[in-house]
């Protein structure tokens, strides 16, 4: 969406952004882009939108303290009033590298701990009576468990309802495992964004010799659950799609990640014909699925293999990917900075970071103006422009 369109509307209220500590690096980038957007807009378009108090600020960040007591209990404290503000909270519940003291010993935060901290921030913010509370939760808490198959909890739906009751009006997430969970809060805003544009841009930037057409590239889904994502990539790129079907042993005990052992893999797709493979997934937990997929693709004659995941947890460390890279299973690994990543990952020669801070800034700016987000929800046209430029360069 252009600054021209935003300049013709008045913001809902002055903008403020509250960031959970472990996403501070991403949040500062988002704030930088917003300051640049609005400063550039004001210099070019002198309209009513820019007469609103607080529209152009040196920073939109507001500070809060998350305090832990020796017993493990905690509280959140805002450092300034946000009365009447349009508040955006940027929070990551996946981070497990934050440490707090519990009875004198170090304890690592879990997603449950991070979710409690998020609720504390929302509760502290609501006391100040902001105009609106918007939550950007890149990875939905318990978002992979949204369908009841037996006697089990539906924590993601419960979470959405709980935060909605606390005053959150709009939920913004990325690559939701199953966006139908939004039916738990039918009266609230729920927007699910894709990072495909940013991924493809970084892919074409780092792999300058890659020709992204159907003769040289194929999109692969590592399992049947990710086929919709792979179909979208294949459609916007104009290439063929393949997928692996996993036959699992459901009579065996699941591993620590709740996954059942895979007994065999069946490939659904055309022969490689010496093409490159773009393997797309939503999450790297242990990394077993992506590396197993890469190994099977190598057996089937695919040349270059690029692994893409929106979120990187790496709960078994980087050693499996280090060994896979040395073995020649893949050429490059891409993840976004939507969650806190291990610092050592950024030093790996096979890794490329997909920065989505500019995209988040655009989302915040658009929602603050209360205008349509249809154009940024579907980036197909921008992807097509990228491909045209790339193909002209390759040819």
């Amino acid at each position: 969406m252009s600054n021209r369109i935003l300049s013709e509307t008045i913001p809902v209220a002055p903008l403020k952004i509250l960031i959970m500590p472990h996403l501070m690096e991403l949040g500062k980038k988002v704030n930088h882009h917003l300051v640049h957007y609005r400063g550039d807009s004001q210099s070019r378009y002198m309209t009513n939108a820019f007469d609103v108090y607080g529209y152009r600020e040196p920073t939109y960040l507001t500070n809060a303290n998350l305090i832990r007591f020796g017993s493990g209990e905690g509280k959140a404290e805002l450092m300034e009033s946000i009365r009447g503000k349009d508040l955006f909270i940027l929070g990551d519940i996946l981070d497990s590298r934050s440490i707090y003291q519990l009875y004198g010993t170090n304890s690592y935060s879990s997603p449950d701990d991070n979710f409690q901290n998020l609720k504390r921030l929302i509760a502290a913010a609501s006391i100040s009576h902001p105009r609106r509370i918007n939550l950007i939760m890149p990875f939905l808490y318990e978002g992979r468990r949204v369908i009841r198959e037996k006697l089990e909890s539906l924590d993601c739906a419960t979470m959405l309802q709980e935060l909605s009751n606390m005053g959150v009006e709009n939920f913004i997430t990325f690559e939701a495992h199953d966006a139908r969970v939004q039916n738990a809060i039918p009266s609230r805003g729920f927007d699910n964004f894709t990072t495909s544009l940013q991924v493809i841009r970084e892919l074409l930037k780092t792999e300058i010799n890659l020709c992204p057409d159907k003769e040289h590239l194929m999109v692969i889904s590592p399992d049947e659950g990710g086929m919709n994502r792979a179909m979208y990539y294949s459609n916007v790129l104009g290439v063929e799609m393949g997928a692996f079907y996993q036959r699992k042993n459901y009579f065996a005990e699941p591993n620590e990640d709740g996954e059942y052992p895979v007994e065999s893999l069946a490939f659904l797709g055309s022969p490689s014909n010496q093409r490159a493979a773009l393997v797309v997934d939503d999450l790297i937990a242990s990394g077993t699925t992506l590396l197993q997929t890469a190994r099977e693709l190598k057996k089937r004659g695919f040349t270059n293999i690029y692994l893409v995941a929106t979120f990187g947890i790496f709960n078994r460390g980087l050693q499996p990917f280090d060994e896979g890279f040395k073995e020649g299973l893949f050429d490059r690994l891409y993840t976004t900075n939507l969650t806190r990543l291990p610092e050592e990952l950024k030093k790996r020669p096979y890794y490329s970071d997909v920065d989505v801070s500019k995209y988040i800034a655009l989302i915040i700016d658009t929602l603050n103006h209360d205008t349509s987000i249809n154009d940024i929800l579907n980036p197909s046209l921008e992807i097509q422009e990228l491909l045209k430029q790339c193909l002209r360069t390759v040819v």
Side-chain angles (χ1 to χ4, degrees):
M1 180 171 296
S2 69
N3 286 336
R4 175 76 254 180
I5 296 175
L6 294 180
S7 71
E8 294 171 352
T9 60
I10 296 176
V12 170
L15 173 64
K16 281 295 181 180
I17 304 173
L18 182 58
I19 306 166
M20 293 185 73
H22 40 270
L23 271 187
M24 192 58 68
E25 181 180 353
L26 173 62
K28 288 181 177 179
K29 290 181 179 180
V30 171
N31 179 64
H32 172 78
H33 290 306
L34 280 166
V35 172
H36 173 73
Y37 285 165
R38 297 194 164 187
D40 180 61
S41 297
Q42 189 171 28
S43 65
R44 287 192 291 165
Y45 310 120
M46 296 304 296
T47 60
N48 291 335
F50 306 109
D51 295 330
V52 177
Y53 172 75
Y55 185 83
R56 185 182 182 186
E57 296 286 347
T59 181
Y60 298 99
L61 301 182
T62 186
N63 296 321
N65 287 333
L66 287 169
I67 301 167
R68 283 279 184 174
F69 302 104
S71 62
E73 297 171 301
K75 72 172 184 178
E77 180 183 6
L78 261 64
M79 307 310 293
E80 64 176 301
S81 173
I82 53 170
R83 182 179 293 273
K85 302 296 193 295
D86 191 19
L87 179 65
F88 286 80
I89 300 177
L90 179 58
D92 171 30
I93 54 86
L94 287 178
D95 177 63
S96 60
R97 286 173 287 278
S98 297
I99 300 175
Y100 63 92
Q101 289 288 311
L102 180 62
Y103 294 102
T105 61
N106 288 337
S107 180
Y108 287 91
S109 62
S110 68
D112 290 344
D113 292 318
N114 295 327
F115 179 54
Q116 285 300 120
N117 281 334
L118 175 61
K119 289 199 296 182
R120 293 184 178 109
L121 289 173
I122 294 172
S126 63
I127 296 173
S128 190
H129 299 289
R131 170 65 177 79
R132 188 173 65 174
I133 298 178
N134 311 275
L135 175 61
I136 302 176
M137 184 186 284
F139 182 85
L140 282 177
Y141 176 67
E142 296 290 354
R144 287 183 290 172
R145 298 166 185 85
V146 297
I147 299 175
R148 179 176 286 129
E149 297 178 347
K150 46 190 174 183
L151 298 177
E152 57 187 354
S153 59
L154 286 177
D155 291 3
C156 186
T158 303
M159 174 272 297
L160 291 173
Q161 292 175 349
E162 185 175 7
L163 298 189
S164 175
N165 291 334
M166 292 180 70
V168 177
E169 291 191 28
N170 293 309
F171 293 84
I172 298 100
T173 191
F174 291 83
E175 307 281 358
H177 191 74
D178 191 336
R180 289 177 296 178
V181 72
Q182 67 184 288
N183 293 331
I185 48 167
S187 62
R188 297 296 191 182
F190 185 99
D191 294 305
N192 178 36
F193 291 89
T194 176
T195 59
S196 54
L197 172 62
Q198 290 72 29
V199 167
I200 293 172
R201 180 184 288 128
E202 187 65 23
L203 172 69
L204 299 180
K205 176 183 173 182
T206 55
E207 304 300 321
I208 57 176
N209 294 322
L210 175 65
C211 187
D213 60 24
K214 60 183 179 181
E215 296 180 3
H216 300 91
L217 182 66
M218 191 172 183
V219 175
I220 305 294
S221 173
D223 53 39
E224 58 274 21
M227 288 185 66
N228 286 337
R229 184 179 302 102
M231 287 171 61
Y232 179 80
Y233 271 88
S234 66
N235 285 333
V236 296
L237 288 171
V239 301
E240 291 186 19
M241 188 200 87
F244 281 94
Y245 169 72
Q246 299 180 350
R247 191 166 72 85
K248 298 181 179 182
N249 182 2
Y250 289 101
F251 295 100
E253 288 294 324
N255 61 19
E256 59 186 19
D257 295 317
E259 300 171 346
Y260 290 91
V262 177
E263 292 190 341
S264 63
L265 282 175
F267 181 63
L268 310 176
S270 58
S272 70
N273 295 327
Q274 296 300 303
R275 283 180 285 187
L278 180 66
V279 185
V280 293
D281 206 354
D282 61 340
L283 177 71
I284 294 177
S286 65
T288 301
T289 300
L290 277 181
L291 292 173
Q292 188 177 36
T293 300
R295 181 173 281 108
E296 292 295 326
L297 290 172
K298 279 293 183 181
K299 290 179 183 178
R300 288 165 171 79
F302 285 86
T303 54
N304 302 92
I305 296 176
Y306 309 108
L307 306 180
V308 173
T310 309
F311 305 99
I313 303 179
F314 302 98
N315 57 15
R316 294 187 183 175
L318 300 179
Q319 184 178 355
F321 286 92
D322 292 341
E323 294 174 353
F325 183 68
K326 289 180 181 178
E327 190 180 338
L329 295 183
F330 67 95
D331 296 86
R332 192 164 290 277
L333 170 66
Y334 300 86
T335 68
T336 71
N337 57 348
L338 284 170
T339 188
R340 184 179 176 186
L341 297 166
E343 287 299 322
E344 57 269 24
L345 175 65
K346 301 174 184 178
K347 302 175 184 178
R348 295 298 196 265
Y350 55 77
Y351 177 70
S352 285
D353 181 54
V354 180
D355 183 14
V356 295
S357 60
K358 195 172 183 179
Y359 191 28
I360 295 176
L362 177 60
I363 293 169
I364 291 175
D365 205 21
T366 304
L367 291 175
N368 179 237
H369 281 262
D370 211 17
T371 54
S372 174
I373 60 169
N374 289 337
D375 291 340
I376 55 178
L377 267 174
N378 186 3
S380 300
L381 293 179
E382 293 185 63
I383 293 175
Q384 292 304 312
E385 285 299 318
L386 275 178
L387 295 176
K388 289 177 183 178
Q389 295 174 12
C390 176
L391 291 174
R392 283 198 297 266
T393 303
V394 172
V395 173

